C-alpha cells in the first residue's frame, strides 16, 4: 500500500517531468521562426520587447528578449555554407531567392520569379479572414523582393486556410501569421516553424520602426532568413530595424484589437501564445495599377 511519502515522491517526480516538458517546448519554440529576428518562441517567435530588442520581437521584460521577437525557425548549422539570397539588383531587375536549408515544415509552391518590377510603387494586399478583411498597402518600391514573394505565395494559395499562430500583448502588440502548417491551438510546439522552402534578404531597413499599423516580415536571427511569416502590429514595438517593413495596414486594425482583447491560449512564458480568438486566413489577393 502506498504511503504518504511515496505519494509525495510521485507528485514531485510528476512535477519535475512537467517542468522538463515545458522547458523542452520553450526551447523548441525558441528555434522556430516567428516574427522577428530572434530565435524564440514561435517566427515567428519573439523575445522580449526590444527596448528592446528583439516573431515576432523585442523588449526588456520577463522572459528573455529573444522570446518576444517575431521569428521564424532558426537555421541549422548547415545554413552557413548554403547559398545566400541576394538583394534587388537594379541592373538586372532581379532578386536572388535561395532554398531554405534551416529545416522546418515546408509547403512547397515553388520559387518566386527572379524578375521583379518597381512599379507600381504600391500594391494592395487583402487578407480575407474569418474575422473580416485586413487590407495592407504594400511598399513595392522599397521592398520589391518581399512584395514579389508575397504575390507569388498569394497566387499559389499558400496562405489559404492557414491560421495566425502567435499573439503578443500590450508589451509586444503583434499578431504573427504565415505558417501554413500552424495549428494555433496553444498545444502545437511546431507552430512557427513552417515556411515556403526558400528565403530572401531583408529590405527597407533604414530607419525602420514598428509602430501601430505596420506589417513586417518575421525571420530568424540570421540575416537573409525572411520567408513567408509576417506580423501585424497593433501597438508600438521597440524592435531593432532588422525585420522588413513591407506595408501599412489600412483596414482591419479593429480586428487586431478585438483579437488582442480576447487574449491567448498556452502562454509560452514570454506573454505570447496562440490567440483565443482564432484568425484563419481564407484567401489572399494582391492588386496594383501601374
Amino acid at each position: 500500500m502506498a504511503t504518504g511519502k511515496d505519494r509525495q515522491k510521485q507528485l514531485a517526480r510528476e512535477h519535475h517531468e512537467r517542468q522538463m516538458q515545458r522547458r523542452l517546448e520553450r526551447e523548441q519554440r525558441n528555434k522556430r521562426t516567428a516574427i522577428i529576428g530572434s530565435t524564440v518562441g514561435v517566427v515567428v517567435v519573439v523575445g522580449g520587447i526590444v527596448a528592446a530588442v528583439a516573431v515576432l520581437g523585442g523588449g526588456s521584460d520577463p522572459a528573455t528578449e529573444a522570446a518576444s521577437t517575431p521569428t521564424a525557425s532558426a537555421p541549422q548549422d548547415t545554413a552557413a555554407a548554403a547559398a545566400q539570397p541576394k538583394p534587388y539588383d537594379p541592373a538586372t531587375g532581379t532578386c536572388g531567392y535561395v532554398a531554405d536549408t534551416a529545416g522546418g515544415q515546408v509547403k512547397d509552391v515553388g520559387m518566386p520569379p527572379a524578375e521583379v518590377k518597381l512599379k507600381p510603387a504600391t500594391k494592395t494586399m487583402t487578407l480575407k479572414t474569418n474575422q473580416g478583411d485586413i487590407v495592407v498597402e504594400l511598399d513595392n518600391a522599397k521592398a520589391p523582393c518581399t512584395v514579389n514573394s508575397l504575390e507569388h505565395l498569394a497566387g499559389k494559395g499558400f496562405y489559404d486556410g492557414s491560421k495566425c499562430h502567435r499573439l503578443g500583448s500590450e508589451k509586444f502588440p503583434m499578431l504573427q501569421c504565415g505558417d501554413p502548417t500552424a495549428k494555433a491551438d496553444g498545444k502545437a510546439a511546431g507552430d512557427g516553424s513552417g515556411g515556403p522552402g526558400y528565403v530572401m534578404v531583408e529590405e527597407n531597413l533604414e530607419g525602420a520602426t514598428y509602430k501601430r499599423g505596420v506589417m513586417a516580415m518575421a525571420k530568424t536571427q540570421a540575416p537573409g532568413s525572411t520567408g513567408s511569416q509576417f506580423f501585424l502590429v497593433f501597438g508600438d514595438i521597440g524592435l531593432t530595424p532588422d525585420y522588413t517593413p513591407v506595408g501599412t495596414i489600412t483596414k482591419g486594425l479593429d480586428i487586431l484589437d478585438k483579437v488582442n482583447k480576447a487574449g491567448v491560449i498556452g502562454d509560452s512564458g514570454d506573454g505570447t501564445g496562440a490567440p483565443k480568438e482564432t484568425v484563419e486566413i481564407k484567401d489572399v489577393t494582391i492588386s496594383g495599377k501601374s
Side-chain angles (χ1 to χ4, degrees), residues 40 46-54 57-69 169-172 238 267-272:
V40 66
V46 181
I49 261 186
V50 223
V53 271
S60 63
D61 168 54
T64 62
E65 284 183 354
S68 28
T69 321
S169 62
E170 287 68 24
K171 292 185 177 181
F172 195 65
D267 187 328
S268 61
D270 59 10
T272 70

Side-chain angles (χ1 to χ4, degrees), residues 167-235:
L167 176 69
S169 62
E170 287 68 24
K171 292 185 177 181
F172 195 65
M174 64 83 212
L175 176 66
Q176 187 168 333
C177 315
D179 174 358
T181 65
K183 302 299 183 185
D185 58 4
K187 301 176 183 179
D191 281 7
S193 64
Y198 65 83
V199 291
M200 70 198 89
V201 296
E202 289 67 56
E203 302 178 289
N204 193 27
L205 299 182
E206 185 174 355
T209 56
Y210 307 91
K211 299 183 179 297
R212 179 176 170 85
V214 166
M215 173 180 166
M217 304 301 294
K219 70 179 196 67
T220 67
Q221 288 180 319
S225 59
T226 295
S228 62
Q229 292 188 41
F230 58 88
F231 56 106
L232 305 169
V233 183
F234 52 86

Side-chain angles (χ1 to χ4, degrees), residues 252-270:
L253 279 170
D254 57 328
I255 294 174
L256 300 179
D257 290 336
K258 172 189 172 185
V259 172
N260 174 51
K261 187 175 181 179
V264 303
I265 308 170
D267 187 328
S268 61
D270 59 10

Side-chain angles (χ1 to χ4, degrees), residues 55 84-85 128 146:
V55 107
Q84 297 300 304
K128 291 188 177 298
T146 308

